[in-house]
Amino acid sequence: MAVICSTVELWLTGMLSTIAWKIYWFDVSAFHKFLMCFMFSAFTLIEPLRLRLGYFGNLNEKVPELSGVFLFTLLPQIPAVIYFSALQPFAGWGFTTPFEIAVNLIYLFLFLLPESIFGYLAAKSVIR
C-alpha cells in the first residue's frame, strides 16, 4: 500500500506542476483548461476512496468494496490517465508533453491495468 500511495503522490505532484506550467506559460483555450482541471480533480477526489476501498475489500474479503475498486478504476481513473497521456491534442488547443506521456503510461501499465485485472479476479474468487 505504501508503494502505491507514494506513486500516487508522485503522479499528483508531477501532473499538478505540469498543468500549472501549461496554464501559466501557454495560451491554452478555456475549454482545455476546464478539461485538464476537471480530469485532474476527478482523479484526485476518487483516488483516496479507491485505495481505501481496495485495502478494506482485500482485508475483509468483501465483494462490494472489491467491485467498487474495479469500477472506480475503469471509469474515472483509466480515462483520465489516457486523456493526459494521449488525448489532449484532440480536445481543443492542447498539447501533450513527453513528461506527461511517460508518467501516465507508466502509471497506466504498471498500476491501473494490473489493478483492474487483479481486482476483477479477486472479486470473482471471493464470490465463489
Side-chain angles (χ1 to χ4, degrees):
M1 176 109 176
V3 171
I4 291 175
C5 288
S6 64
T7 306
V8 169
E9 292 168 359
L10 288 173
W11 187 90
L12 289 173
T13 305
M15 289 307 299
L16 182 64
S17 61
T18 304
I19 290 170
W21 175 70
K22 280 182 172 183
I23 289 174
Y24 186 75
W25 286 103
F26 295 97
D27 185 27
V28 180
S29 68
F31 176 72
H32 188 63
K33 286 179 188 177
F34 169 75
L35 203 53
M36 279 193 307
C37 293
F38 177 76
M39 295 296 257
F40 183 77
S41 299
F43 189 96
T44 304
L45 292 174
I46 296 295
E47 186 66 17
L49 178 63
R50 189 178 73 84
L51 291 176
R52 188 178 194 292
L53 284 174
Y55 179 73
F56 287 115
N58 283 332
L59 193 62
N60 299 328
E61 294 184 354
K62 292 189 175 185
V63 176
E65 281 85 354
L66 292 174
S67 300
V69 170
F70 179 68
L71 291 175
F72 279 150
T73 302
L74 285 182
L75 294 178
Q77 302 295 10
I78 291 178
V81 169
I82 290 174
Y83 168 75
F84 282 123
S85 64
L87 297 179
Q88 289 185 55
F90 303 109
W93 189 93
F95 63 95
T96 305
T97 63
F99 175 75
E100 287 176 303
I101 294 170
V103 167
N104 287 303
L105 289 181
I106 287 170
Y107 194 70
L108 179 68
F109 288 118
L110 291 182
F111 293 101
L112 289 180
L113 289 179
E115 282 178 19
S116 63
I117 293 167
F118 292 128
Y120 173 75
L121 294 175
K124 187 176 169 183
S125 69
V126 168
I127 291 173
R128 290 183 190 186

